[in-house]
Amino acid sequence: MSLIKTFPIALILLFGSAALWLHQENLGLMQDAGKALETQYRNKTTELASWHGDGQALYQHLQQSITLQFFQYTDGTDGSRNFTTGQLQETPESFLARLFPLEISDTRNLPDGRLMVKLDTNGPRTLAVSLYSEQLIIIGSLFAASLLLFLALASTLSRKIRYAAEYVKSLTELNFSPPEQSKLGGELKPLATVFEEARQALKQKIDGLHHENEKLSRAAFQDPITGFGSRARFTRKLDELAKSQKDLLGSLAMLQATELGTINQLKGRTAGDDYLAKVAGCLRKAGSPFPDAEFYRISSSDFAVFLPNLVISDAERFLEPLKTLLDEYQSTSAMESIAYTGLVPYKSGVDPVGLLSLSDAALSIAQTLGANSFHVLEKFTEDQEIGDNRWQVAITEIITQRAVRFFQQPIQPCRSEVEVYRELFARFFNSEGKVLPTATVIAMAERHGLSQELDKLVVLSAVRMLLDNPNMTGAYGVNISAVSATDDNFVVWLKDLLTKHRAISNRLVLEINESGLQTNMQGSFRFIREIHSVGTRVSIERFGMGFTSFKFFREVRPDYIKLDATYSEAIDQDANNKFFVRMMIDIARRIGVRVIACGVERQEEKLTLEKLMVDGLQGFYIAKPEPAGSKDLLDEKLTRQS
């Protein structure tokens, strides 16, 4: 509340308190006067103990020394001696008189009758009311004078404050005229000094600020890892191209570094950044013959290159050298592929959505052709359908040929009594035995309704591997999609398979993404109930990314929750992450759910998570993934059994 409102309220409270105190004082004085009047009356009536006579004579006798408001004498033997005069109830003359009530009455028996009187108290009351009225006038005048003086001072101060506010606003508009000292006098004089100092400092630094702003703007549009333009800059480029009135044409290359997720998972984020930097280096070298080429990193693993004046017929001038560079990088690494490229034509006035859709189709086709492949598309609708069809064929071949192999990564228990497991990572291959990007395979399987068949392949292959490799002891985790987990037919199939292989079902942990399960709570409940009935456990991965996470795992009750890797990243320095992890561990501990921290890449992160009492740790710092089991996972015996 502002001072202008607070001070009048304080004055009112002060005035009210003073009025209340004066009322109590005057009321006390009036009551003292009343007691003296009552004492005088009682002294006078001591002689009435032997009174004989009529009521009128008694009234005249008492009136000689005491004023009565009401008198009534009732003779016990002769009614002619009765006498009554005055008013029993008196009406106050004013509102203030009502604030000073005073009543003195007396009733007694005399030798011949009964006497009842009320003394006239107008004198003490009138005196108290008169005195209180004078006091109210005095403090009311003081209140009014104080309020007027305050309002006058407040008005002056408000004008000064408004001027100060306007001057500050003028500084924000880069108006550096000096402040008027006369308008900032008195208690605001320090502001005048500060404004003058600020004006001079801002005037001296404004050029430097403009320079820094330009540097920051450039940094905001530049990716720090690759040095390429950012997504915002790429979006601006598309908008400029769509609105350009010039006759522009060229080619747009879209490259996807499909191994980023795998590298981050297998080798850590530092290795992932190094991978992106090397892919960017390959793009620069391939684009060096094109001096006007513009490079962008438009997402975590996606790159875009605008090649002005490069027509599709000359695309090999860029694509062949790029594939050679990617192949050379692959030959020096342990990866089975590096990146895939799609190239499409563009011209001024192009629809950005259509251009990106066409380039996505080209990229999708390239990903079905083997490591580091590229593909060129000129048309939109038909070729996009071709891209989708190729992926459908590729995924069907994976399922038919059971072209999947596994890597395994252990989870380290934090206490001896904690039972954890090893996670299996599926890798898929095309008909030529070339590795395909896992994330793209899964996404395309969902697009074409093949995710359940792909999940069946993964589960069957994992069970077959455990049956064929008795040296692989302990529990193993297998990822399946939430779409499959919440489908009744898939759950029936899975339960039947695990029932036939009880020894294996007790060693399996099915990992499912949290966000997918939350979209179908009823299906999630049913899935976990059915899987638990055959002894298989359930782990919810990427846990903690949604607002309903706590309610979800409290009601669904999985066996494990795997915290999203972002919680582990720099947790030794992040108090917020520590708080959330501690809270999730506390809730999980109460309901018997194990908590596993993922993405642990530094010793400091490991030590911090251990202090927070997680149950298990997984990440590149704990152990690197390695090939799991034998290479021959294509046994048909298990398929016939299931």
Side-chain angles (χ1 to χ4, degrees), residues 277-423:
K278 289 181 178 178
V279 171
C282 293
L283 282 171
R284 281 195 182 91
K285 290 181 181 178
S288 58
F290 308 93
D292 296 329
E294 299 179 23
F295 301 88
Y296 303 91
R297 183 185 175 199
I298 59 177
S299 70
S300 58
S301 59
D302 294 331
F303 297 84
V305 183
F306 281 99
L307 299 165
N309 303 317
L310 177 68
V311 295
I312 289 296
S313 58
D314 293 334
E316 291 184 357
R317 292 172 50 204
F318 172 76
L319 294 174
E320 288 291 352
L322 176 60
K323 186 178 188 310
T324 300
L325 291 168
L326 294 176
D327 289 341
E328 290 176 355
Y329 176 22
Q330 179 183 342
S331 66
T332 62
S333 68
M335 292 179 284
E336 296 179 332
S337 65
I338 299 297
Y340 300 86
T341 310
L343 190 137
V344 297
Y346 73 82
K347 60 182 179 179
S348 53
V350 68
D351 173 28
V353 175
L355 180 63
L356 293 179
S357 298
L358 183 61
S359 61
D360 180 65
L363 190 57
S364 296
I365 295 173
Q367 290 173 339
T368 67
L369 302 178
N372 310 323
S373 295
F374 59 81
H375 190 77
V376 178
L377 281 183
E378 296 186 53
K379 298 181 181 180
F380 178 65
T381 305
E382 294 179 359
D383 288 328
Q384 186 180 33
E385 293 176 355
I386 292 173
D388 276 348
N389 290 335
R390 289 198 181 189
W391 264 114
Q392 186 173 8
V393 171
I395 295 170
T396 302
E397 289 180 348
I398 291 173
I399 296 170
T400 303
Q401 299 178 12
R402 295 184 290 282
V404 58
R405 295 193 178 98
F406 293 102
F407 280 74
Q408 62 177 346
Q409 184 180 38
I411 298 171
Q412 176 183 300
C414 293
R415 295 179 300 282
S416 58
E417 73 275 11
V418 175
E419 181 183 359
V420 288
Y421 58 95
R422 291 172 174 265
E423 181 177 357

Side-chain angles (χ1 to χ4, degrees), residues 100-116:
F100 294 91
L102 181 62
E103 184 177 290
I104 304 174
S105 60
D106 180 65
T107 301
R108 65 178 62 200
N109 294 320
L110 299 182
D112 297 331
R114 184 170 178 271
L115 174 65
M116 182 173 69

Side-chain angles (χ1 to χ4, degrees), residues 158-232:
S158 296
R159 287 195 299 271
K160 294 180 179 180
I161 292 175
R162 282 195 297 272
Y163 173 75
E166 291 172 358
Y167 186 78
V168 171
K169 183 179 180 180
S170 70
L171 290 179
T172 63
E173 296 171 352
L174 304 183
N175 180 4
F176 296 113
S177 58
E180 298 182 30
Q181 300 292 332
S182 60
K183 293 185 178 181
L184 291 174
E187 60 278 356
L188 296 184
K189 188 174 182 180
L191 280 181
T193 303
V194 171
F195 286 163
E196 178 61 23
E197 294 174 354
R199 181 186 71 85
Q200 294 178 5
L202 287 173
K203 191 172 180 62
Q204 292 173 358
K205 294 181 179 180
I206 192 64
D207 292 336
L209 289 176
H210 278 306
H211 179 67
E212 290 297 323
N213 184 55
E214 291 176 1
K215 290 173 60 179
L216 289 173
S217 297
R218 286 195 298 270
F221 287 102
Q222 184 173 358
D223 176 57
I225 296 175
T226 64
F228 288 175
S230 66
R231 181 181 181 87

